[in-house]
Amino acid sequence: MSTTITPSKTNPKPIPAIQTSSALSDFLQETGALTRRLFIQLQRRPSTLIAGIVQPIMWLVLFGALFQNAPQGLFGTDVSYGQFLGAGVIVFTAFGGALNAGLPVMFDREFGFLNRLLVAPLASRFSIVMASAIFITILSLIQTVAIVTVSALLGAGLPNAPGLGLVGLIVLLLVLGVTALSLGLSFSLPGHIELIAVIFVTNLPLLFASTALVPLSFMPTWLQWIATLNPLSYAIEPIRYVYLHSDWSLSSVVMHAPWGSVTLGASLLLLLSFDVVALVLIQPKLRRSLA
């Protein structure tokens, strides 16, 4: 007698739910990993950070000594040249560091590492440039803290707590715009030789065509107009004013340009506008290069 065996009906195993992270968390994770890679490189070659701190300190000491016998009142009432110079050194150091922001990306291009990143399953390829921007911003803040500390030890004094916060904000605004332009150049120029050439050609002219070393009133009229078109001047003068005046406000006049007076609030607005223009200019190039 044959019997028919019917398979028992068993409940199918439940399919585990696939846990997917949000696009934002993936972007933050990728940006953090790429930023950590840059800091590992810095740890292996710390000379970049050391030179970035030693050079502005040398500027403070040597230029301060060079003009220490300047006539009283030459740079303002009861203002020493060391106090006058501090703001210029802070801004120019941050500017120089931000101008070099495109070099790591350029070297990644030339060594082929960027191509590996572009074919990797990244949530967003903009994490590549975001990591460079974060890295340069942190380095600029470290340099700023070192310069502020040394200048205070040399007798330049310190702003009040809100003033220190404002100094940090101004440095961030300047670094953001210059870093954006440098990253745009790193994708536009054929190699690091061309990028370094642009950095060298841009660096000193923008320094001397600003109020970093001398007040605006010392310049000939044509240079005053150029200096008032230079974004560095709109970062230097607010920091200098905050150092010298504890009762500052957004309506305080920080610079007397040939075309009129510039307030602290207007300087911040101009720096913000500079950032917006820089970011808008590099967007098409970044989209094509990271596509």
Side-chain angles (χ1 to χ4, degrees):
M1 180 177 179
S2 61
T3 58
T4 304
I5 301 175
T6 58
S8 61
K9 294 182 180 180
T10 58
N11 294 328
K13 294 181 179 180
I15 300 175
I18 301 176
Q19 297 179 352
T20 58
S21 59
S22 64
L24 178 60
S25 63
D26 289 342
F27 174 75
L28 294 177
Q29 182 182 10
E30 293 165 2
T31 303
L34 293 173
T35 305
R36 187 164 56 252
R37 167 180 170 262
L38 293 174
F39 277 103
I40 292 174
Q41 292 178 347
L42 179 65
Q43 184 180 5
R44 292 173 179 173
R45 296 190 299 270
S47 57
T48 303
L49 179 59
I50 295 173
I53 294 176
V54 171
Q55 184 184 26
I57 292 176
M58 291 176 61
W59 278 61
L60 282 173
V61 174
L62 295 178
F63 272 86
L66 183 64
F67 289 95
Q68 69 176 356
N69 294 325
Q72 188 70 24
L74 191 62
F75 301 102
T77 306
D78 299 328
V79 177
S80 66
Y81 189 67
Q83 293 173 310
F84 179 88
L85 182 65
V89 173
I90 290 172
V91 170
F92 187 67
T93 302
F95 168 74
L99 204 57
N100 292 323
L103 282 175
V105 177
M106 179 64 78
F107 286 131
D108 284 345
R109 277 183 56 194
E110 295 181 347
F111 295 149
F113 186 79
L114 182 62
N115 290 332
R116 297 182 182 182
L117 289 178
L118 293 178
V119 299
L122 297 176
S124 174
R125 292 174 178 173
F126 282 98
S127 59
I128 300 172
V129 294
M130 183 60 69
S132 296
I134 294 173
F135 175 71
I136 292 298
T137 300
I138 294 175
L139 286 189
S140 298
L141 290 178
I142 293 173
Q143 291 173 327
T144 300
V145 170
I147 297 168
V148 169
T149 302
V150 172
S151 61
L153 294 176
L154 293 175
L158 279 174
N160 53 25
L164 287 173
L166 183 63
V167 171
L169 175 61
I170 292 171
V171 170
L172 286 176
L173 288 175
L174 179 68
V175 167
L176 176 61
V178 179
T179 298
L181 294 178
S182 181
L183 291 172
L185 289 173
S186 69
F187 287 102
S188 303
L189 298 176
H192 74 275
I193 299 297
E194 290 78 10
L195 180 57
I196 292 175
V198 171
I199 292 172
F200 277 131
V201 170
T202 306
N203 226 345
L204 287 181
L206 284 178
L207 169 66
F208 291 113
S210 71
T211 58
L213 302 179
V214 297
L216 200 64
S217 57
F218 276 29
M219 303 179 188
T221 304
W222 63 270
L223 190 55
Q224 290 183 16
W225 281 95
I226 295 176
T228 54
L229 297 175
N230 188 347
L232 296 185
S233 297
Y234 295 98
I236 294 168
E237 292 301 325
I239 293 178
R240 183 172 289 151
Y241 189 91
V242 167
Y243 257 91
L244 300 177
H245 303 83
S246 59
D247 56 344
W248 58 271
S249 66
L250 293 179
S251 59
S252 301
V253 176
V254 298
M255 182 168 60
H256 296 281
W259 41 267
S261 299
V262 180
T263 63
L264 194 152
S267 297
L268 294 178
L269 185 60
L270 286 168
L271 287 175
L272 183 60
S273 302
F274 169 67
D275 293 345
V276 172
V277 171
L279 292 172
V280 170
L281 286 177
I282 69 169
Q283 280 295 323
K285 184 62 182 178
L286 289 184
R287 291 184 183 278
R288 289 195 299 269
S289 300
L290 299 177

